[in-house]
Amino acid sequence: MGLFSFFKQEKKKDTATLAKERLQILIAHEHADNRKRAPDYLPKLRDEILGVIRKYVHVNENDVNVKVEKGTDYDVLELNITLPEAK
Amino acid sequence: MSKVIVVTSGKGGVGKTTTSAAFASGLAAKGYKTAVIDFDVGLRNLDLIMGVERRVVYDFVNVINGESTLKQALIRDKRVDNLYILPASQTRDKDALTTEGVESVINELKEDGFDYIVCDSPAGIEKGAFMALYFADEAIVVTNPEVSSVRDSDRILGILQSRSRAAEQGGTVKEHLLITRYSPDRVEGGDMLGMDDIVEILSVPLIGVIPESESVLQASNSGNSVVLDEQSHAGQAYTDVVARFLGEDVPLRFIDVQPKKGFFKKLFG
């Protein structure tokens, strides 16, 4: 091994440090994704709400909007229903 | 007051069953009445690791289905007093575990005066793993100093914090990190994640570090819990884990590079 390659080797990061950096980035991303992800029950909840409303008023598929917003202390379930204009 | 502790990890092969066997044996050796339950239905192994594989008559699923009583299924350990093993079924699948069934078995153990109920979780995040952690008061998350194991541990910690019964009721499961198969030489050499790095990434308090050790394989070969091998470093490290769990202040051991024996030491010492 020559003198130059000796110095080059010194500069190379050890693999444990690399592992730590990769994990920190990955886990931070996964946590952020989990916070953003809507709960699994949302589509079913939306369909059932639509069904109940349709017993009384006719609304279109796109007139019911269900959203979950995640806060630090609590989550907010937001329902937005557009009723047809009264004739 | 009895406590339910789950030994879990997400990833397979990191030492959950070895840890469950050693931890339960250690608690029993300290005089606590302890039961250890194998939740790995279909792939039971706790019985083999603990050397009671030829004494299995009834199992966890038999008790849940009312085909045997809990007393009939519990195997009393012959080496350690106060230690009882509830084996998993080898022929059923994990759907045989129901929330109500598992709860009734845990409640009966509590009524029978067990101080600690250790739940040995299967790998993965399917039904068996979920059932093992659902009723836990505390969790020991077993991690190897290796990227996939650390990531899976993070995932299982997320599940403990959101889907356990304690979490559903607005409480928390007390978490402990246990690093196994640790090799100080390789950490020093820069090709293994150090314990401080793992603690920093997962931010869970450390309950112990078990060094990579030949005695773990030897113990499972012979069906003796490694904690009973007082000579082995891994056995001693597990004994320390039990002491820390019970609130004792015990410093970490076997985490630094062992000085290499010199020529004269090898000859004379």
Side-chain angles (χ1 to χ4, degrees):
Chain A
M1 195 201 293
L3 190 62
F4 286 106
S5 57
F6 174 76
F7 280 115
K8 242 190 210 161
Q9 203 116 60
E10 280 294 282
K11 264 193 182 169
K12 209 180 87 184
K13 235 185 264 174
D14 59 49
T15 57
T17 314
L18 195 63
K20 185 187 178 186
E21 290 169 2
R22 289 176 61 216
L23 275 170
Q24 278 176 323
I25 293 166
L26 177 72
I27 285 175
H29 272 279
E30 284 180 344
H31 286 190
D33 287 349
N34 273 343
R35 273 192 295 274
K36 267 187 282 180
R37 210 187 57 200
D40 303 336
Y41 60 74
L42 219 57
K44 203 167 169 234
L45 177 75
R46 187 180 165 280
D47 286 350
E48 284 180 23
I49 287 172
L50 193 67
V52 172
I53 293 169
R54 275 184 177 166
K55 278 190 191 168
Y56 306 96
V57 218
H58 184 78
V59 289
N60 287 320
E61 188 84 15
N62 299 328
D63 291 343
V64 175
N65 224 317
V66 182
K67 232 172 39 184
V68 172
E69 255 178 61
K70 303 227 167 184
T72 38
D73 292 336
Y74 49 83
D75 300 348
V76 178
L77 176 71
E78 195 184 301
L79 282 178
N80 209 325
I81 304 155
T82 317
L83 293 176
E85 274 181 54
K87 278 165 198 160
Chain B
M1 212 10 223
S2 40
K3 251 186 199 160
V4 180
I5 306 121
V6 61
V7 177
T8 185
S9 70
K11 193 177 181 298
V14 296
K16 282 180 297 294
T17 301
T18 300
T19 298
S20 299
F23 184 67
S25 304
L27 285 171
K30 287 256 186 184
Y32 295 99
K33 194 174 174 190
T34 305
V36 52
I37 309 177
D38 190 350
F39 276 76
D40 205 345
V41 176
L43 290 170
R44 91 168 159 226
N45 274 319
L46 182 72
D47 55 331
L48 193 55
I49 298 292
M50 299 191 74
V52 298
E53 70 276 12
R54 293 171 63 185
R55 295 169 59 203
V56 177
V57 182
Y58 294 108
D59 59 56
F60 193 13
V61 175
N62 289 139
V63 181
I64 287 176
N65 293 345
E67 293 150 6
S68 84
T69 63
L70 180 59
K71 262 202 183 68
Q72 285 174 313
L74 279 176
I75 303 170
R76 198 176 66 80
D77 193 281
K78 283 181 176 163
R79 283 155 305 205
V80 187
D81 283 341
N82 311 311
L83 180 60
Y84 294 82
I85 299 135
L86 184 56
S89 166
Q90 184 71 328
T91 50
R92 316 286 179 94
D93 64 37
K94 292 188 170 60
D95 292 329
L97 298 177
T98 58
T99 315
E100 298 75 30
V102 174
E103 185 175 26
S104 74
V105 171
I106 287 177
N107 284 343
E108 198 178 335
L109 288 168
K110 285 181 176 175
E111 280 160 24
D112 284 349
F114 278 90
D115 298 303
Y116 293 105
I117 301 158
V118 178
C119 302
D120 180 22
S121 172
I125 49 173
E126 315 288 311
K127 184 100 185 247
F130 180 64
M131 281 294 122
L133 68 79
Y134 187 66
F135 296 99
D137 300 304
E138 304 200 22
I140 295 180
V141 177
V142 184
T143 307
N144 287 170
E146 180 270 323
V147 285
S148 56
S149 174
V150 175
R151 182 200 207 173
D152 290 0
S153 292
D154 180 70
R155 183 90 171 87
I156 212 82
L157 285 164
I159 292 171
L160 278 165
Q161 288 155 9
S162 62
R163 294 181 62 194
S164 59
R165 186 170 64 171
E168 284 176 0
Q169 293 172 348
T172 48
V173 176
K174 190 174 177 193
E175 298 158 348
H176 308 275
L177 177 65
L178 179 69
I179 301 174
T180 57
R181 309 199 69 168
Y182 196 70
S183 159
D185 288 318
R186 304 195 68 188
V187 173
E188 181 89 1
D191 50 3
M192 182 179 272
L193 282 163
M195 44 179 261
D196 297 330
D197 293 336
I198 301 172
V199 172
E200 189 187 329
I201 293 166
L202 295 175
S203 41
V204 172
L206 188 66
I207 197 166
V209 177
I210 311 297
E212 174 79 72
S213 164
E214 292 158 11
S215 52
V216 174
L217 184 59
Q218 287 162 355
S220 64
N221 283 343
S222 52
N224 288 315
S225 173
V226 67
V227 84
L228 303 174
D229 182 355
E230 284 162 12
Q231 301 299 314
S232 99
H233 286 180
Q236 292 173 49
Y238 272 119
T239 306
D240 290 354
V241 168
V242 173
R244 280 183 212 111
F245 181 82
L246 296 171
E248 288 172 44
D249 192 12
V250 184
L252 289 167
R253 291 191 277 176
F254 321 115
I255 52 168
D256 295 316
V257 177
Q258 299 294 309
K260 289 234 161 43
K261 275 190 179 177
F263 176 69
F264 283 102
K265 264 239 167 109
K266 267 187 191 156
L267 268 186
F268 302 111

